[in-house]
Amino acid sequence: MISVDAFDLRILSALQDDGRLTNQQLADVAGLSASQCSRRRMRLEQDKVIAGYHAELACEALGFNVIAFIHITLATHSPDNAKRFRALVNRTADIQEAYSLTGDADYLLKAVLRDLKSLSDIVNNVLMPHQSVAHVRSSIVLDRLKESSKLPL
């Protein structure tokens, strides 16, 4: 774990809200000079506390109208089978997030898709036929109550 102080936390909090802030704008928020903010930002980036910057796209505006969570149970729990499944997940662009779980399912996938046919295709033509998969159960998101990638600093 990297050591951060109150100034770093203010910088990180501000960058979570707007990753395009200039060093002067960060300085105004953090109560430091622009050069101090620049040095701190560079340190936080080098230490991988700031993992990257990206544009947040509006999925509906681009025609992605279905979000689905897909529970996967593997056929066998061997390292090779898990490796094959991970490779499948990594080459499937529709899957945005994937988590290994405890409990009834082995994995939880989040897929963002254009329509229900696309969900049917990924379930029936990609996941179910794969030799590593034994069971697939999907849930379609009806309404998004909250979405955030912000850490509670």
Side-chain angles (χ1 to χ4, degrees):
M1 190 167 127
I2 304 299
S3 175
V4 294
D5 62 16
F7 293 112
D8 292 332
L9 290 174
R10 281 187 232 140
I11 290 168
L12 292 169
S13 181
L15 287 172
Q16 282 191 120
D17 289 332
D18 184 355
R20 296 188 299 176
L21 291 175
T22 66
N23 289 322
Q24 184 58 58
Q25 291 169 318
L26 279 176
D28 294 342
V29 170
L32 296 168
S33 70
S35 61
Q36 288 173 313
C37 276
S38 176
R39 283 192 296 277
R40 284 175 177 266
R41 184 196 303 223
M42 286 189 329
R43 180 182 54 82
L44 293 166
E45 290 170 351
Q46 289 169 351
D47 290 344
K48 305 292 185 214
V49 174
I50 298 174
Y53 300 91
H54 68 276
E56 185 177 329
L57 306 180
C59 55
E60 293 88 2
L62 294 167
F64 295 92
N65 297 307
V66 174
I67 299 172
F69 288 94
I70 306 167
H71 298 258
I72 302 291
T73 304
L74 294 184
T76 62
H77 292 92
S78 69
D80 286 341
N81 203 39
K83 185 177 178 180
R84 282 190 296 272
F85 181 73
R86 286 175 187 260
L88 171 68
V89 166
N90 284 316
R91 71 175 175 263
T92 306
D94 293 330
I95 299 171
Q96 282 194 322
E97 299 176 35
Y99 302 94
S100 176
L101 303 174
T102 61
D104 294 335
D106 296 313
Y107 293 93
L108 176 65
L109 312 178
K110 176 186 173 190
V112 177
L113 308 145
R114 294 198 180 276
D115 50 33
L116 291 176
K117 174 150 181 14
S118 299
L119 175 59
S120 177
D121 287 343
I122 196 170
V123 168
N124 294 313
N125 301 326
V126 176
L127 296 170
M128 288 184 57
H130 197 269
Q131 74 266 17
S132 64
V133 175
H135 186 260
V136 177
R137 189 183 81 218
S138 63
S139 300
I140 298 168
V141 172
L142 298 176
D143 191 15
R144 189 177 326 172
L145 304 179
K146 180 178 181 180
E147 181 178 38
S148 174
S149 60
K150 291 182 183 181
L151 294 177
L153 301 175

